[in-house]
Amino acid sequence: MAGPGAPEKTLTLDAALGHASALLGRDPAMALGQAREILRVVPGHPQAMLIEGQALRLLGDLAAARAVLARLAADQPRSALTLFELALVHGQMGEPRQAVVALERALGLKPDFLPAWHALAGALRETGREADARIADAKAVEAATRDPVLVKAAIAMHQQNFQTVEAMLEERIRMLPRDAAALRLYGEVAWRQGQLDQAIARLKRTLEVAPGFGAARELLVRIMQMGPDVADALVHASILLEDEPDSVGHALLKASLQVRLGEQEAAGTIYRGLVARGVDQPRVWLNLGHVEKTLGNQADAIAAYRRSIALDPALGEGWWSLANLKTVKLTGEDIAAMLAAQEGIEDDEQASQLHFALGKAYEDAGEAEKSFEHYARGNALRRKGIEYDPERISGDAREHAEIFTAPFLSSREGQGCQADDPIFIVGLPRAGSTLVEQILSSHSKIEGTMELPDLMMIADRLHSRVEDGEFASYGDVVRSLDAAALTRLGEEYLERTRVHRKEGKRRFIDKMPNNWMHVGLIRLILPRATIIDARRHPMGCCFSGWKQFFARGQLFTYDLTEIGRYYRDYVGQMAAFDREAPGAVHRVIYERMVADTEAEVRSLLDHVGVPFEEECLAFWRNRRAVRTASSEQVRQPIFTDGVDHWKQFEPWLAPLRDALGSVETAYPQVPEELA
């Protein structure tokens, strides 16, 4: 039986141990003294020995710490914490193999010991065991997901209590800076608040801590692909697929990024591999069809699209993709299948694409009224889900004319990046720009890329300075750019687009049609760049755009009045720029190109500044990847059928004609009030 003084001694010992433990974080020397005083009174006390070992490690006396902790581990073989501390000492002494042994023993005793999993992953990497380290990363995440603090934080995030969850996670990371699950959640919180740069930084930190954390890497890829870092996103997607080679999701993610970067054949290899493995999914076949179409493998594209709709007859995108080849005539049987399928489609986008496909099918069958009806229904569904303000486009066009005057452009003479690499093809979609691109890219000195978003992203960034209140108008932003800023922006454009230049040619094409809005900016930042305006009869061009389902962008094309007004704004702005910068833009009139191809091609090449080459007249032999709706049309000699094709729909095109006004009647000249 304990004597009367025993409780007091126990309380005193517990208080001393608690005090020594509390001192570790702020004064390890005092903690060491306190622990040794306890050990003098109570020799071999396990907790005091543990504190002594921890204090010695923190003070850098690693050999002494190892001796104390090794002895304690021998005496207390089932103490996971002792083994963990011993492992930390081994790690700091450059003994990762011994650290691994100690950590594996600790985790055998306590499988949910989160800091030990983190430490084990690091120790395994130091020994070159990357595959095992990635398993440890995953185990650490698994252990963390059962942690009540992180569960509570995740619930708060889904309830959009972002301030609360950030405070919780910041405290958690302060205490456990290598908690990968907390770091990933911290990144997701930033992403959900629209803070993409911060989210990317946090997720990259997560992967520094736990390179094998697949969910963190996948989230990073999906965020990065929203911005300009697509090439970097592809690097991470490749790692994901290397880690999980059987993952269909990771394979599809990597292939989608390769498509965006113009690596069509590489993406096709992934899709074909999935099909060969027996992955018989509509979307896989659909994506394979897109790649085969882009590569010019028309028969394979048709087969892939056919398989996608055989698996899912309500896949509107599959039907539209088949119709959008322009060279495929959908049959009466196809029309019946689509009419049957439309009843079961609830998604507006899929339903819209099905109507566009039906419009094309009836058009090919010569039933113009039914064709127009389905095009109209498809456009109405598409327009319903789009925010588009025609007043903003008109205002921007007027503002452009006011900013980029001859005196202003003259005041910036000699400024900007002086590289002449880019050839910009601008205008409206379906105006013959793909034909111009195919002709130019058939030249030995010119590389075709695709519709690049980079100039628009630079322009959007400048516009955001108005939205953020830094400037009163876009004109003020542009006028504030000094010579150094103009050069930087031009160099930034070249750097951002470099990833798309695969052939090492000095000149390259950017075929983004919407860049007509930014011809003045092009002139400022890249004054030696070539600008080509591809123009087609307004009725034919606008109707062709209206009956085209665009995967993204081109928000003005889903209403006949809006597309007519957009064309008019485009003509007005380009006419103003022609007045202020004569000769800066070379105009290609589609109908003239069709009527006298060689003369127009020679004039085009002369403006670009390259010698004439016969291959430019045989552009259909060019096997380069083409991603636009005209991909099959430019793989045959000059396409003449479309010049007056719109006339069979003329009875229903009054809204378009009214919106165009004198722009139509004056074509190809510019009406007097705009000129």
Side-chain angles (χ1 to χ4, degrees), residues 309-342:
I309 55 182
L311 291 168
D312 183 2
L315 185 61
E317 187 179 350
W319 285 109
W320 168 243
S321 299
L322 189 62
N324 196 35
L325 287 170
K326 304 293 193 289
T327 55
V328 173
K329 304 292 185 185
L330 296 175
T331 65
E333 188 177 327
D334 290 327
I335 290 174
M338 285 188 279
L339 291 172
Q342 67 179 340

Side-chain angles (χ1 to χ4, degrees), residues 60-319:
D61 191 349
L62 299 178
R66 181 176 59 186
V68 169
L69 293 167
R71 186 167 68 251
L72 180 60
D75 292 343
Q76 302 283 329
R78 298 194 61 76
S79 171
L81 183 56
T82 299
L83 290 164
F84 173 69
E85 288 291 336
L86 179 59
L88 294 183
V89 172
H90 281 309
Q92 291 179 28
M93 294 183 75
E95 300 169 349
R97 285 181 173 78
Q98 292 93 320
V100 167
V101 171
L103 288 165
E104 287 177 338
R105 285 176 59 197
L107 288 163
L109 294 165
K110 191 177 181 183
D112 61 349
F113 194 173
L114 181 58
W117 283 117
H118 291 152
L120 178 59
L124 287 166
R125 284 193 172 88
E126 286 193 53
T127 63
R129 295 167 59 185
E130 179 60 28
D132 291 332
R134 288 174 179 267
I135 293 172
D137 287 338
K139 292 287 188 181
V141 172
E142 185 182 336
T145 56
R146 294 191 293 271
D147 187 286
V149 174
L150 292 185
V151 170
K152 187 176 179 182
I155 292 170
M157 180 185 69
H158 287 292
Q159 293 173 341
Q160 298 190 356
N161 296 329
F162 296 126
Q163 192 171 354
T164 300
V165 71
E166 284 208 314
M168 292 170 65
L169 291 171
E170 283 164 6
E171 176 61 19
R172 171 76 172 208
I173 293 165
R174 187 187 67 77
M175 296 181 64
L176 291 171
R178 297 186 64 81
D179 187 342
L183 287 165
R184 182 207 170 279
L185 199 57
Y186 198 39
E188 185 175 349
V189 169
W191 168 60
R192 286 174 180 264
Q193 295 179 86
Q195 300 163 354
L196 300 190
D197 289 343
Q198 198 168 51
I200 288 170
R202 290 174 180 178
L203 290 165
K204 284 185 174 179
R205 171 58 188 154
T206 306
L207 294 171
E208 288 173 10
V209 168
F213 192 174
R217 197 177 298 278
E218 183 174 358
L219 180 59
L220 175 63
V221 171
R222 296 193 182 281
I223 294 173
M224 290 177 78
Q225 71 177 348
M226 299 176 190
D229 298 326
V230 180
D232 200 7
L234 178 58
V235 171
H236 287 283
S238 299
I239 294 170
L240 279 174
L241 193 55
E242 288 167 9
D243 286 351
E244 297 182 58
D246 294 331
S247 169
V248 174
H250 293 344
L252 292 175
L253 183 59
K254 180 177 180 178
S256 71
L257 293 168
Q258 288 172 325
V259 166
R260 287 184 59 186
L261 288 167
E263 299 176 11
Q264 305 290 335
E265 191 57 63
T269 298
I270 289 179
Y271 292 133
R272 293 181 202 112
L274 289 173
V275 168
R277 281 166 45 190
V279 179
D280 198 22
Q281 297 175 6
R283 285 281 170 185
V284 173
W285 284 104
L286 181 67
N287 291 338
L288 176 57
H290 294 336
V291 167
E292 300 291 17
K293 181 201 84 163
T294 302
L295 292 171
N297 303 327
Q298 186 177 143
D300 292 332
I302 293 170
Y305 289 145
R306 286 285 184 193
R307 181 59 186 162
S308 74
I309 55 182
L311 291 168
D312 183 2
L315 185 61
E317 187 179 350
W319 285 109

Side-chain angles (χ1 to χ4, degrees), residues 339-454:
L339 291 172
Q342 67 179 340
E343 300 302 322
I345 299 180
E346 296 180 0
D347 178 78
D348 279 351
E349 183 166 317
Q350 293 298 318
S352 175
Q353 290 181 88
L354 190 72
H355 281 299
F356 274 93
L358 279 163
K360 178 65 168 60
Y362 280 119
E363 181 180 346
D364 290 343
E367 299 186 52
E369 187 170 3
K370 283 186 178 180
S371 171
F372 188 88
E373 177 192 342
H374 281 287
Y375 281 137
R377 291 173 68 184
N379 274 293
L381 282 170
R382 184 69 161 153
R383 183 65 182 87
K384 186 173 69 172
I386 284 174
E387 290 185 17
Y388 173 69
D389 180 9
E391 286 295 336
R392 186 183 67 80
I393 300 298
S394 299
D396 287 349
R398 288 192 299 270
E399 185 178 31
H400 187 283
E402 292 165 2
I403 297 168
F404 297 102
T405 61
F408 175 68
L409 292 169
S410 178
S411 73
R412 301 303 193 269
E413 190 74 33
Q415 298 181 14
C417 174
Q418 297 300 308
D420 67 351
D421 304 30
I423 301 168
F424 293 93
I425 303 177
V426 305
L428 264 72
R430 313 297 293 142
S433 57
T434 303
L435 173 62
V436 175
E437 178 193 36
Q438 191 78 344
I439 290 167
L440 288 174
S441 64
S442 298
H443 197 282
S444 62
K445 298 184 183 302
I446 301 172
E447 178 177 0
T449 58
M450 62 177 100
E451 296 178 358
L452 304 177
D454 304 277

Side-chain angles (χ1 to χ4, degrees), residues 469-518:
E470 185 181 353
F471 290 91
S473 71
Y474 180 62
D476 289 341
V477 177
V478 171
R479 285 184 282 269
S480 76
L481 299 172
D482 60 18
L486 295 176
T487 300
R488 276 197 308 273
L489 289 174
E491 290 173 346
E492 178 189 341
Y493 171 82
L494 292 177
E495 187 57 39
R496 290 169 68 118
T497 55
R498 202 171 305 282
V499 68
H500 299 286
R501 301 172 66 177
K502 315 288 187 184
E503 299 174 8
K505 297 180 181 179
R506 196 174 65 79
R507 310 292 297 277
F508 74 100
I509 302 167
D510 179 344
K511 202 187 78 67
M512 176 60 75
N514 312 68
N515 282 337
W516 69 264
M517 300 177 183
H518 310 300

